[in-house]
Each structure stands twice: as C-alpha cells, then as structure tokens.
C-alpha cells in the first residue's frame, strides 16, 4: 500500500543523473541504479550492450504458465548536460528532467513491484524493459522490442498519465522521409535558361506534400525543413526536403505513403531527378476491442473507473501495439512541461498510479505467495 506522504529521495537520485540520449555514460549510470533496485527484488538483468548509445535493459522474473506482462519504459531524456539537470519539489509537485517523461513512470513501476514482492515473496511472469533511445525514435531498440513483443500477452507503458489520470489507448503513427532533388547549376544572369532549378521543384513538392494533410482524419504531413541551392546568382543544382507524416489509422498511412512516392517521382520542372528515402519510425497504435476488454478487466481489478485518451505523440507503445500486443499506455504519474525546463509531475498522482498498478500486478503475478 502507499503511504499518505511519499519520500521522493530515490527518484531524486535518478533524476539528478543526466540521461540525455547521447550521453551514454549518464544513461548507463541511470540504468545501473535502476538495475540495483530491480535485482534487490529478485529480477535478473539482461543487458543489450551498445557502444555509442546507452545499454538497453530487460529485467525478467520467474516464468510459469499464465498470462505474461511486460512493463515498458525508457532510460533517456531529451536534456543535454548542463541544460536542465536538478530535482526539486514543493507540496504538490516534483520537478526535473524525467519527472514525468519517464523516470517518474519507471519509479511507479518499481514501487508497485516492490509492494508485490513484499506481499508475495516472489514475482513471476512480469518483466520490465527499459530502452535507451526512445527520445530519438527507438531506431536501435525497435528490433529488440519487436522480437520481445511475441513473448507477452499484455504491455503496460509508463509514460505520463493524462490530467485526470487518463490511460492512453491510441497514438498516431509517425514516419520521417527525405526527398533529395538533383537539378543543374547555371549562372543566373548569363545562362538562366540552361539551369534546372532544384529549388523550384522543391517548392512544388512542398505544396503537394502539405496538401496530403487531412485534419478531419487526424493526418498531417509537414515539410519541416527545406534546403537547397548555392547562392542568389546560381540556378540551384540540389535541394532537400525533410518530411514528417502522422496518422491515426493504417488506411491513411497507406494513402499518404502512396501519394508521397508519387510526389517524389513526378516532376514539375523538366530535367529534374529525385529520390525518396526514410520510412515509418513507429506505426500507429489504434484502439481495438481486445484492448477495451483488457481495460474493463483492469477496472474490475482496481475497482476504479479508468479514463482514457488518444494522443498525437508517439511512444514505444506504438511498436508493441503494431506487433499485436494488447497495449495500454499512460501508467506513469500525471505531469506536464515535458521536453521543457518546466517539466514536473504531480505528487498525488504517484500515489494513485502506484496503488492501481500494485493491484494489477498482484492479480497477474505468478510468483509464490507467503505463508
């Protein structure tokens, strides 16, 4: 059970370690601290060693027949060293990098697991995965997650809860693409008509791509960066567009992918050559009937009405949901200001979430009960 007043000193230790994705030393230090806590309650650590990124960590419990749960979080934050590094608190909030995204959520999982260990003596069929590169798209850890997805019936993701402790049932899919355009340089004064203007072609493609947006269906296509050319007196010989797409269902995904391919390879400026690269980073997490049935089961287990919401942002929940795992996100505390120096998490929401997760894990735990 959760005391009326929580001590956040352990979480402060975690938050005070800089865990910027590119800071391998800091990410691994954060992971080592969490590893210590998990092994104290009987988990075995499997380390996915990485040379440049922080190591990914899988904590496993004893295995037996029955449903298998994976608790999912990540070790990294978005803040470079010396930018935003210090834990603080007042009566209602804790502050610091990762307070809600996602060190606070990881700590919710840890506290709930400790309570299960204390009550049952052993934990079984409940594992936890912490990856080190979620904030940069999980490009390295994605394959690990996809492979692990086949081993679990349910995935609980510990990203921040909504304002009213909502869980997350849906997240948009996201893809990033690059269109590289090749034209021909020429002197803009003396030989204007001999040039092939890559920048002009990029402008046409920018408009065409933007027109693929369908806000009513929740689909957005954004040319976030457009660059090209040499200088004002030269017809541009090259240009590049960096494009992001977000979508709420696979039908829209397929529509935009097909149209994007057409835009990339159909040219308005004669003589242009262009190539398309990139792809889907995380596919869409769509609400579904199996997920809804699981949610109703969790309401029975917790005795609470579990509110839900859908979000435009992505998480590693997308990866597991796309592989067919029954996935719910938002099991962390409520917080806001994430990805800014104002990041914070609500103290009371920690108590609510830890108790809810404790009840869920007690229900599914296949460990040994105490005498």
């Amino acid at each position: 059970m959760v005391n009326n007043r929580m001590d956040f000193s352990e979480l402060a230790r975690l938050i005070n370690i800089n865990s910027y994705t590119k800071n391998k030393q800091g990410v691994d230090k954060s992971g080592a601290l969490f590893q210590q806590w998990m092994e104290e309650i009987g988990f075995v650590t499997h380390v996915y060693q990485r040379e440049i990124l922080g190591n990914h960590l899988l904590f496993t419990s004893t295995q037996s027949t029955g449903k298998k749960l994976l608790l999912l979080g990540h070790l990294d934050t978005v803040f470079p060293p010396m930018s935003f590094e210090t834990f603080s608190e007042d009566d209602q909030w804790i502050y610091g990098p990762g307070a809600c995204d996602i060190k606070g959520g990881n700590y919710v999982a840890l506290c709930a697991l400790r309570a299960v260990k204390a009550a049952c003596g052993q934990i079984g069929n409940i594992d936890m995965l912490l990856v080190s590169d979620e904030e940069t798209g999980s490009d390295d850890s994605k394959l690990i997650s996809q492979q692990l997805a086949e081993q679990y019936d349910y995935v609980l993701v510990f990203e921040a809860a909504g304002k009213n402790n909502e869980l997350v049932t849906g997240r948009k899919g996201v893809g990033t693409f690059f269109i590289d355009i090749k034209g021909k340089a020429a002197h803009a004064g003396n030989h204007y008509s001999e040039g092939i203007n890559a920048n002009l072609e990029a402008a046409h493609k920018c408009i065409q791509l933007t027109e693929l947006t369908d806000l009513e269906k929740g689909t957005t296509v954004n040319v976030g960066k457009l660059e090209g050319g040499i200088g004002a007196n030269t017809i541009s010989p090259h240009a590049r567009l960096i494009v992001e797409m977000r979508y709420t269902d696979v039908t829209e995904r397929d529509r935009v992918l097909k149209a994007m391919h057409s835009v990339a390879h159909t040219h308005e400026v004669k003589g242009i050559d262009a190539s398309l690269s990139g792809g889907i980073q995380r596919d869409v997490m769509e609400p579904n009937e199996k997920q809804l049935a699981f949610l109703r089961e969790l309401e029975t287990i917790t005795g609470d009405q579990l509110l839900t919401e859908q979000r435009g942002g992505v998480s590693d929940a997308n990866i597991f949901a796309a592989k067919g795992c029954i996935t719910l996100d938002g099991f962390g505390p409520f917080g806001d200001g994430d990805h800014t120096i104002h990041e914070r998490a609500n103290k009371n929401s920690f108590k609510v979430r830890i108790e809810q997760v404790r009840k869920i894990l007690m229900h599914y735990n296949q460990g040994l009960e105490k005498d």
Side-chain angles (χ1 to χ4, degrees), residues 324-336:
C325 278
I326 299 173
T327 305
L328 286 171
D329 199 350
F331 278 97
F334 164 64
D336 56 23

Side-chain angles (χ1 to χ4, degrees), residues 166-242:
E166 291 92 345
L167 296 174
V168 181
T169 57
R171 288 183 178 273
K172 288 186 177 183
V174 62
T176 303
F177 298 84
F178 308 88
I179 298 178
D180 290 286
I181 302 169
K182 183 178 180 181
K184 180 182 176 183
H187 193 289
N190 296 331
H191 304 289
Y192 185 92
S193 60
E194 295 178 14
I196 301 174
N197 195 333
N199 283 358
L200 178 58
E201 181 63 30
H204 284 291
K205 293 189 187 308
C206 180
I207 294 171
Q208 293 164 1
L209 290 165
T210 302
E211 289 176 343
L212 298 176
T213 293
D214 188 334
L215 294 177
E216 290 187 0
K217 294 182 178 179
T219 303
T220 56
V221 180
N222 177 54
V223 181
K225 188 173 183 179
L226 193 160
E227 57 187 1
I230 296 173
N233 63 350
T234 304
I235 303 300
S236 172
H238 54 75
R240 180 177 235 213
L241 297 89
I242 302 179

